Short mmCIF file of all heavy atoms in Angstrom, two decimals:
data_model
loop_
_atom_site.label_atom_id
_atom_site.label_comp_id
_atom_site.label_asym_id
_atom_site.label_seq_id
_atom_site.Cartn_x
_atom_site.Cartn_y
_atom_site.Cartn_z
N ARG W 54 0.60 -20.83 -7.77
CA ARG W 54 -0.61 -21.26 -7.07
C ARG W 54 -0.21 -22.17 -5.92
O ARG W 54 0.38 -23.22 -6.14
CB ARG W 54 -1.57 -21.99 -8.02
CG ARG W 54 -2.12 -21.08 -9.10
CD ARG W 54 -3.23 -21.75 -9.86
NE ARG W 54 -3.89 -20.81 -10.76
CZ ARG W 54 -5.02 -21.06 -11.40
NH1 ARG W 54 -5.62 -22.22 -11.24
NH2 ARG W 54 -5.56 -20.16 -12.19
N ILE W 55 -0.56 -21.74 -4.72
CA ILE W 55 -0.22 -22.50 -3.53
C ILE W 55 -1.24 -23.60 -3.33
O ILE W 55 -2.44 -23.40 -3.54
CB ILE W 55 -0.17 -21.57 -2.30
CG1 ILE W 55 0.85 -20.46 -2.54
CG2 ILE W 55 0.16 -22.34 -1.05
CD1 ILE W 55 2.24 -20.96 -2.82
N GLY W 56 -0.79 -24.79 -2.93
CA GLY W 56 -1.69 -25.93 -2.75
C GLY W 56 -2.61 -25.76 -1.56
O GLY W 56 -2.45 -24.85 -0.74
N PRO W 57 -3.60 -26.68 -1.42
CA PRO W 57 -4.59 -26.54 -0.34
C PRO W 57 -4.03 -26.78 1.05
O PRO W 57 -4.56 -26.28 2.02
CB PRO W 57 -5.64 -27.60 -0.71
CG PRO W 57 -4.91 -28.59 -1.55
CD PRO W 57 -3.87 -27.82 -2.31
N VAL W 58 -2.97 -27.57 1.17
CA VAL W 58 -2.33 -27.82 2.47
C VAL W 58 -0.86 -27.49 2.33
O VAL W 58 -0.14 -28.11 1.55
CB VAL W 58 -2.51 -29.29 2.90
CG1 VAL W 58 -1.83 -29.52 4.24
CG2 VAL W 58 -3.99 -29.66 2.98
N LEU W 59 -0.42 -26.49 3.09
CA LEU W 59 0.94 -26.01 2.91
C LEU W 59 1.65 -25.89 4.26
O LEU W 59 1.21 -25.11 5.10
CB LEU W 59 0.93 -24.65 2.22
CG LEU W 59 2.29 -24.13 1.75
CD1 LEU W 59 2.79 -24.93 0.57
CD2 LEU W 59 2.20 -22.66 1.39
N PRO W 60 2.72 -26.65 4.50
CA PRO W 60 3.50 -26.46 5.74
C PRO W 60 4.10 -25.06 5.79
O PRO W 60 4.42 -24.47 4.76
CB PRO W 60 4.59 -27.54 5.64
CG PRO W 60 4.09 -28.53 4.63
CD PRO W 60 3.25 -27.74 3.67
N LYS W 61 4.26 -24.56 6.99
CA LYS W 61 4.78 -23.20 7.14
C LYS W 61 6.18 -23.05 6.58
O LYS W 61 6.53 -22.02 6.02
CB LYS W 61 4.75 -22.80 8.62
CG LYS W 61 3.34 -22.63 9.17
CD LYS W 61 3.37 -22.29 10.65
CE LYS W 61 1.96 -22.18 11.20
NZ LYS W 61 1.96 -21.93 12.65
N ARG W 62 6.98 -24.10 6.72
CA ARG W 62 8.35 -24.00 6.21
C ARG W 62 8.37 -23.87 4.69
O ARG W 62 9.22 -23.17 4.14
CB ARG W 62 9.15 -25.23 6.64
CG ARG W 62 8.61 -26.55 6.14
CD ARG W 62 9.46 -27.73 6.58
NE ARG W 62 8.91 -29.00 6.11
CZ ARG W 62 9.10 -29.47 4.89
NH1 ARG W 62 9.84 -28.78 4.04
NH2 ARG W 62 8.57 -30.63 4.53
N VAL W 63 7.40 -24.50 4.01
CA VAL W 63 7.32 -24.39 2.55
C VAL W 63 6.89 -22.99 2.16
O VAL W 63 7.42 -22.39 1.22
CB VAL W 63 6.36 -25.45 1.98
CG1 VAL W 63 6.24 -25.30 0.47
CG2 VAL W 63 6.84 -26.85 2.33
N TRP W 64 5.89 -22.44 2.89
CA TRP W 64 5.45 -21.08 2.61
C TRP W 64 6.59 -20.08 2.81
O TRP W 64 6.78 -19.17 2.01
CB TRP W 64 4.27 -20.72 3.50
CG TRP W 64 3.89 -19.27 3.47
CD1 TRP W 64 4.10 -18.35 4.46
CD2 TRP W 64 3.28 -18.56 2.40
NE1 TRP W 64 3.64 -17.12 4.07
CE2 TRP W 64 3.13 -17.21 2.80
CE3 TRP W 64 2.84 -18.92 1.13
CZ2 TRP W 64 2.57 -16.24 1.99
CZ3 TRP W 64 2.27 -17.94 0.32
CH2 TRP W 64 2.14 -16.64 0.75
N ARG W 65 7.37 -20.25 3.87
CA ARG W 65 8.50 -19.35 4.13
C ARG W 65 9.53 -19.45 3.01
O ARG W 65 10.06 -18.43 2.56
CB ARG W 65 9.13 -19.69 5.47
CG ARG W 65 8.23 -19.44 6.67
CD ARG W 65 8.98 -19.66 7.96
NE ARG W 65 8.10 -19.50 9.11
CZ ARG W 65 8.52 -19.46 10.36
NH1 ARG W 65 9.82 -19.56 10.62
NH2 ARG W 65 7.67 -19.34 11.35
N ALA W 66 9.81 -20.68 2.58
CA ALA W 66 10.77 -20.84 1.49
C ALA W 66 10.27 -20.18 0.21
O ALA W 66 11.03 -19.56 -0.53
CB ALA W 66 11.03 -22.33 1.25
N PHE W 67 8.95 -20.28 -0.04
CA PHE W 67 8.35 -19.64 -1.21
C PHE W 67 8.53 -18.12 -1.14
O PHE W 67 8.92 -17.48 -2.12
CB PHE W 67 6.87 -20.02 -1.29
CG PHE W 67 6.10 -19.30 -2.35
CD1 PHE W 67 6.18 -19.70 -3.67
CD2 PHE W 67 5.28 -18.23 -2.03
CE1 PHE W 67 5.45 -19.04 -4.66
CE2 PHE W 67 4.55 -17.57 -3.00
CZ PHE W 67 4.65 -17.98 -4.33
N VAL W 68 8.24 -17.53 0.01
CA VAL W 68 8.36 -16.08 0.16
C VAL W 68 9.81 -15.65 0.01
O VAL W 68 10.12 -14.63 -0.62
CB VAL W 68 7.80 -15.64 1.53
CG1 VAL W 68 8.07 -14.16 1.78
CG2 VAL W 68 6.30 -15.90 1.60
N GLU W 69 10.74 -16.42 0.56
CA GLU W 69 12.15 -16.04 0.52
C GLU W 69 12.72 -16.09 -0.89
O GLU W 69 13.74 -15.44 -1.17
CB GLU W 69 12.94 -16.95 1.47
CG GLU W 69 12.67 -16.61 2.93
CD GLU W 69 13.08 -17.74 3.87
OE1 GLU W 69 13.73 -18.69 3.39
OE2 GLU W 69 12.75 -17.66 5.07
N VAL W 70 12.08 -16.86 -1.79
CA VAL W 70 12.50 -16.84 -3.20
C VAL W 70 12.41 -15.43 -3.76
O VAL W 70 13.28 -14.97 -4.50
CB VAL W 70 11.64 -17.82 -4.03
CG1 VAL W 70 11.79 -17.55 -5.52
CG2 VAL W 70 12.04 -19.25 -3.73
N PHE W 71 11.36 -14.70 -3.38
CA PHE W 71 11.15 -13.36 -3.92
C PHE W 71 11.91 -12.30 -3.14
O PHE W 71 12.10 -11.18 -3.62
CB PHE W 71 9.65 -13.03 -3.93
CG PHE W 71 8.84 -13.99 -4.75
CD1 PHE W 71 8.17 -15.04 -4.15
CD2 PHE W 71 8.78 -13.87 -6.12
CE1 PHE W 71 7.44 -15.93 -4.91
CE2 PHE W 71 8.07 -14.76 -6.88
CZ PHE W 71 7.39 -15.80 -6.27
N GLU W 72 12.34 -12.64 -1.93
CA GLU W 72 13.12 -11.68 -1.16
C GLU W 72 14.57 -11.65 -1.61
O GLU W 72 15.26 -10.65 -1.39
CB GLU W 72 13.06 -12.04 0.33
CG GLU W 72 11.70 -11.81 0.95
CD GLU W 72 11.69 -12.14 2.42
OE1 GLU W 72 12.33 -13.15 2.80
OE2 GLU W 72 11.05 -11.42 3.20
N ARG W 73 15.04 -12.71 -2.25
CA ARG W 73 16.43 -12.75 -2.68
C ARG W 73 16.67 -11.78 -3.83
O ARG W 73 15.79 -11.51 -4.64
CB ARG W 73 16.81 -14.15 -3.16
CG ARG W 73 16.74 -15.24 -2.12
CD ARG W 73 17.45 -16.48 -2.64
NE ARG W 73 17.07 -17.65 -1.88
CZ ARG W 73 16.25 -18.59 -2.33
NH1 ARG W 73 15.72 -18.47 -3.54
NH2 ARG W 73 15.96 -19.63 -1.60
N HIS W 74 17.87 -11.31 -3.91
CA HIS W 74 18.32 -10.50 -5.04
C HIS W 74 19.12 -11.42 -5.97
O HIS W 74 20.17 -11.93 -5.60
CB HIS W 74 19.18 -9.32 -4.59
CG HIS W 74 18.41 -8.31 -3.80
ND1 HIS W 74 17.59 -7.38 -4.38
CD2 HIS W 74 18.33 -8.12 -2.46
CE1 HIS W 74 17.04 -6.63 -3.44
NE2 HIS W 74 17.47 -7.06 -2.26
N GLY W 75 18.62 -11.63 -7.18
CA GLY W 75 19.30 -12.51 -8.12
C GLY W 75 18.79 -13.93 -8.03
O GLY W 75 17.76 -14.22 -7.43
N ALA W 76 19.52 -14.86 -8.63
CA ALA W 76 19.11 -16.25 -8.71
C ALA W 76 19.36 -16.97 -7.40
O ALA W 76 20.08 -16.51 -6.53
CB ALA W 76 19.86 -16.95 -9.85
N GLY W 77 18.71 -18.15 -7.27
CA GLY W 77 18.89 -18.97 -6.09
C GLY W 77 20.32 -19.51 -5.99
O GLY W 77 20.99 -19.71 -7.00
N LYS W 78 20.74 -19.78 -4.76
CA LYS W 78 22.12 -20.19 -4.53
C LYS W 78 22.42 -21.53 -5.19
O LYS W 78 23.48 -21.72 -5.78
CB LYS W 78 22.36 -20.27 -3.02
CG LYS W 78 23.78 -20.71 -2.65
CD LYS W 78 23.94 -20.72 -1.14
CE LYS W 78 25.35 -21.17 -0.75
NZ LYS W 78 25.53 -21.21 0.72
N TRP W 79 21.46 -22.47 -5.13
CA TRP W 79 21.73 -23.81 -5.62
C TRP W 79 21.18 -24.03 -7.03
O TRP W 79 21.81 -24.68 -7.85
CB TRP W 79 21.13 -24.84 -4.66
CG TRP W 79 21.65 -24.70 -3.27
CD1 TRP W 79 20.95 -24.27 -2.17
CD2 TRP W 79 22.97 -24.96 -2.82
NE1 TRP W 79 21.75 -24.25 -1.07
CE2 TRP W 79 23.01 -24.69 -1.42
CE3 TRP W 79 24.15 -25.42 -3.43
CZ2 TRP W 79 24.14 -24.83 -0.66
CZ3 TRP W 79 25.28 -25.57 -2.67
CH2 TRP W 79 25.27 -25.28 -1.29
N SER W 80 20.01 -23.49 -7.33
CA SER W 80 19.40 -23.77 -8.63
C SER W 80 19.95 -22.88 -9.74
O SER W 80 19.92 -23.26 -10.91
CB SER W 80 17.88 -23.58 -8.54
OG SER W 80 17.57 -22.22 -8.27
N GLY W 81 20.46 -21.69 -9.39
CA GLY W 81 20.92 -20.76 -10.41
C GLY W 81 19.80 -20.18 -11.24
O GLY W 81 20.04 -19.64 -12.32
N VAL W 82 18.56 -20.26 -10.76
CA VAL W 82 17.39 -19.80 -11.49
C VAL W 82 16.79 -18.60 -10.78
O VAL W 82 16.57 -18.64 -9.56
CB VAL W 82 16.33 -20.92 -11.62
CG1 VAL W 82 15.08 -20.39 -12.31
CG2 VAL W 82 16.90 -22.11 -12.39
N ASN W 83 16.50 -17.55 -11.53
CA ASN W 83 15.85 -16.37 -10.96
C ASN W 83 14.35 -16.51 -11.19
O ASN W 83 13.80 -16.07 -12.20
CB ASN W 83 16.39 -15.11 -11.64
CG ASN W 83 15.99 -13.85 -10.87
OD1 ASN W 83 15.12 -13.89 -10.00
ND2 ASN W 83 16.60 -12.74 -11.21
N TYR W 84 13.66 -17.13 -10.24
CA TYR W 84 12.25 -17.44 -10.40
C TYR W 84 11.39 -16.20 -10.55
O TYR W 84 10.33 -16.24 -11.18
CB TYR W 84 11.77 -18.27 -9.20
CG TYR W 84 12.43 -19.62 -9.09
CD1 TYR W 84 13.52 -19.81 -8.23
CD2 TYR W 84 12.00 -20.70 -9.83
CE1 TYR W 84 14.13 -21.04 -8.12
CE2 TYR W 84 12.60 -21.95 -9.73
CZ TYR W 84 13.68 -22.11 -8.87
OH TYR W 84 14.29 -23.33 -8.78
N LYS W 85 11.83 -15.09 -9.99
CA LYS W 85 11.03 -13.87 -10.03
C LYS W 85 10.76 -13.42 -11.46
O LYS W 85 9.73 -12.81 -11.75
CB LYS W 85 11.73 -12.75 -9.25
CG LYS W 85 11.96 -13.05 -7.78
CD LYS W 85 12.49 -11.84 -7.05
CE LYS W 85 13.92 -11.52 -7.43
NZ LYS W 85 14.88 -12.56 -6.99
N GLU W 86 11.69 -13.70 -12.36
CA GLU W 86 11.52 -13.25 -13.74
C GLU W 86 10.42 -14.00 -14.48
O GLU W 86 9.95 -13.55 -15.51
CB GLU W 86 12.84 -13.39 -14.49
CG GLU W 86 13.94 -12.47 -13.98
CD GLU W 86 15.19 -12.58 -14.82
OE1 GLU W 86 15.24 -13.47 -15.71
OE2 GLU W 86 16.13 -11.78 -14.60
N PHE W 87 10.02 -15.17 -13.97
CA PHE W 87 9.01 -15.97 -14.66
C PHE W 87 7.59 -15.56 -14.29
O PHE W 87 6.64 -15.87 -15.01
CB PHE W 87 9.20 -17.46 -14.34
CG PHE W 87 10.55 -17.99 -14.72
CD1 PHE W 87 11.25 -18.82 -13.86
CD2 PHE W 87 11.13 -17.66 -15.93
CE1 PHE W 87 12.50 -19.32 -14.19
CE2 PHE W 87 12.38 -18.15 -16.27
CZ PHE W 87 13.07 -18.98 -15.42
N VAL W 88 7.40 -14.88 -13.16
CA VAL W 88 6.06 -14.58 -12.67
C VAL W 88 5.43 -13.47 -13.52
O VAL W 88 6.00 -12.39 -13.66
CB VAL W 88 6.12 -14.15 -11.19
CG1 VAL W 88 4.73 -13.76 -10.69
CG2 VAL W 88 6.69 -15.28 -10.33
N GLU W 89 4.25 -13.77 -14.06
CA GLU W 89 3.52 -12.80 -14.88
C GLU W 89 2.14 -12.50 -14.30
O GLU W 89 1.58 -11.43 -14.56
CB GLU W 89 3.36 -13.32 -16.31
CG GLU W 89 4.69 -13.53 -17.04
CD GLU W 89 4.49 -14.05 -18.44
OE1 GLU W 89 3.31 -14.23 -18.86
OE2 GLU W 89 5.50 -14.32 -19.13
N VAL W 90 1.56 -13.43 -13.55
CA VAL W 90 0.20 -13.29 -13.02
C VAL W 90 0.22 -13.56 -11.52
O VAL W 90 0.78 -14.57 -11.07
CB VAL W 90 -0.77 -14.28 -13.71
CG1 VAL W 90 -2.19 -14.13 -13.15
CG2 VAL W 90 -0.76 -14.06 -15.22
N VAL W 91 -0.39 -12.68 -10.74
CA VAL W 91 -0.53 -12.86 -9.30
C VAL W 91 -2.00 -12.71 -8.92
O VAL W 91 -2.64 -11.72 -9.27
CB VAL W 91 0.32 -11.84 -8.51
CG1 VAL W 91 0.00 -11.91 -7.02
CG2 VAL W 91 1.81 -12.11 -8.74
N GLU W 92 -2.52 -13.71 -8.24
CA GLU W 92 -3.90 -13.70 -7.78
C GLU W 92 -3.91 -14.08 -6.30
O GLU W 92 -3.47 -15.18 -5.94
CB GLU W 92 -4.75 -14.68 -8.60
CG GLU W 92 -6.23 -14.54 -8.40
CD GLU W 92 -7.03 -15.34 -9.43
OE1 GLU W 92 -6.41 -15.97 -10.31
OE2 GLU W 92 -8.27 -15.33 -9.33
N ASP W 93 -4.38 -13.18 -5.46
CA ASP W 93 -4.19 -13.39 -4.02
C ASP W 93 -4.95 -14.59 -3.49
O ASP W 93 -4.56 -15.17 -2.47
CB ASP W 93 -4.57 -12.13 -3.24
CG ASP W 93 -6.06 -11.77 -3.35
OD1 ASP W 93 -6.74 -12.39 -4.18
OD2 ASP W 93 -6.51 -10.88 -2.62
N VAL W 94 -6.01 -15.02 -4.14
CA VAL W 94 -6.76 -16.17 -3.64
C VAL W 94 -5.92 -17.44 -3.63
O VAL W 94 -6.12 -18.33 -2.81
CB VAL W 94 -8.05 -16.37 -4.46
CG1 VAL W 94 -7.75 -16.87 -5.86
CG2 VAL W 94 -9.01 -17.33 -3.75
N TRP W 95 -4.92 -17.52 -4.53
CA TRP W 95 -4.06 -18.70 -4.58
C TRP W 95 -2.91 -18.61 -3.58
O TRP W 95 -2.20 -19.59 -3.37
CB TRP W 95 -3.51 -18.88 -5.99
CG TRP W 95 -4.58 -19.13 -7.00
CD1 TRP W 95 -5.01 -18.27 -7.98
CD2 TRP W 95 -5.38 -20.30 -7.13
NE1 TRP W 95 -6.02 -18.83 -8.71
CE2 TRP W 95 -6.27 -20.09 -8.20
CE3 TRP W 95 -5.44 -21.52 -6.45
CZ2 TRP W 95 -7.21 -21.03 -8.61
CZ3 TRP W 95 -6.37 -22.45 -6.86
CH2 TRP W 95 -7.24 -22.21 -7.92
N LEU W 96 -2.71 -17.44 -2.99
CA LEU W 96 -1.64 -17.27 -2.00
C LEU W 96 -2.17 -17.30 -0.58
O LEU W 96 -1.41 -17.50 0.36
CB LEU W 96 -0.91 -15.94 -2.24
CG LEU W 96 -0.31 -15.72 -3.62
CD1 LEU W 96 0.31 -14.32 -3.69
CD2 LEU W 96 0.71 -16.77 -3.96
N TYR W 97 -3.47 -17.11 -0.42
CA TYR W 97 -4.04 -16.89 0.91
C TYR W 97 -3.81 -18.08 1.82
O TYR W 97 -3.58 -17.93 3.01
CB TYR W 97 -5.54 -16.62 0.78
CG TYR W 97 -6.21 -16.32 2.09
CD1 TYR W 97 -6.03 -15.07 2.71
CD2 TYR W 97 -7.00 -17.26 2.74
CE1 TYR W 97 -6.64 -14.78 3.92
CE2 TYR W 97 -7.61 -16.98 3.95
CZ TYR W 97 -7.42 -15.74 4.52
OH TYR W 97 -8.01 -15.45 5.73
N VAL W 98 -3.85 -19.30 1.28
CA VAL W 98 -3.71 -20.48 2.11
C VAL W 98 -2.34 -20.54 2.78
O VAL W 98 -2.19 -21.14 3.84
CB VAL W 98 -3.95 -21.76 1.27
CG1 VAL W 98 -2.81 -21.99 0.29
CG2 VAL W 98 -4.10 -22.98 2.17
N GLY W 99 -1.35 -19.87 2.20
CA GLY W 99 -0.03 -19.90 2.81
C GLY W 99 0.26 -18.71 3.68
O GLY W 99 1.11 -18.79 4.56
N GLY W 100 -0.43 -17.58 3.48
CA GLY W 100 -0.06 -16.37 4.19
C GLY W 100 -1.21 -15.67 4.86
O GLY W 100 -1.35 -14.46 4.74
N GLU W 101 -2.08 -16.43 5.56
CA GLU W 101 -3.19 -15.79 6.24
C GLU W 101 -2.66 -14.79 7.26
O GLU W 101 -1.82 -15.12 8.09
CB GLU W 101 -4.07 -16.82 6.96
CG GLU W 101 -4.69 -17.85 6.05
CD GLU W 101 -3.83 -19.08 5.86
OE1 GLU W 101 -2.60 -18.96 6.03
OE2 GLU W 101 -4.36 -20.15 5.55
N ASP W 102 -3.18 -13.57 7.19
CA ASP W 102 -2.70 -12.55 8.13
C ASP W 102 -3.16 -12.83 9.56
O ASP W 102 -2.62 -12.26 10.51
CB ASP W 102 -3.20 -11.18 7.68
CG ASP W 102 -2.46 -10.70 6.46
OD1 ASP W 102 -1.36 -11.20 6.19
OD2 ASP W 102 -2.99 -9.84 5.77
N GLU W 103 -4.16 -13.72 9.71
CA GLU W 103 -4.60 -14.05 11.06
C GLU W 103 -3.65 -15.01 11.76
O GLU W 103 -3.80 -15.32 12.92
CB GLU W 103 -6.00 -14.68 11.03
CG GLU W 103 -7.08 -13.79 10.44
CD GLU W 103 -7.06 -13.83 8.94
OE1 GLU W 103 -6.71 -14.87 8.38
OE2 GLU W 103 -7.38 -12.80 8.32
N ASP W 104 -2.66 -15.53 11.01
CA ASP W 104 -1.75 -16.51 11.57
C ASP W 104 -0.77 -15.80 12.51
O ASP W 104 0.31 -15.37 12.11
CB ASP W 104 -1.00 -17.23 10.46
CG ASP W 104 -0.30 -18.49 10.97
OD1 ASP W 104 -0.04 -18.59 12.18
OD2 ASP W 104 -0.02 -19.35 10.14
#
Side-chain angles (χ1 to χ4, degrees):
R54 294 190 171 191
I55 301 302
V58 179
L59 190 71
K61 291 178 182 177
R62 60 180 179 81
V63 178
W64 169 253
R65 294 186 184 189
F67 173 79
V68 173
E69 287 162 9
V70 165
F71 301 98
E72 290 181 321
R73 296 194 198 105
H74 293 281
K78 180 178 179 181
W79 303 111
S80 65
V82 176
N83 193 347
Y84 296 98
K85 299 187 289 293
E86 294 184 353
F87 302 136
V88 177
E89 298 179 2
V90 180
V91 171
E92 192 168 358
D93 64 350
V94 71
W95 297 109
L96 304 177
Y97 183 75
V98 70
E101 300 90 335
D102 287 340
E103 299 81 32
D104 194 339

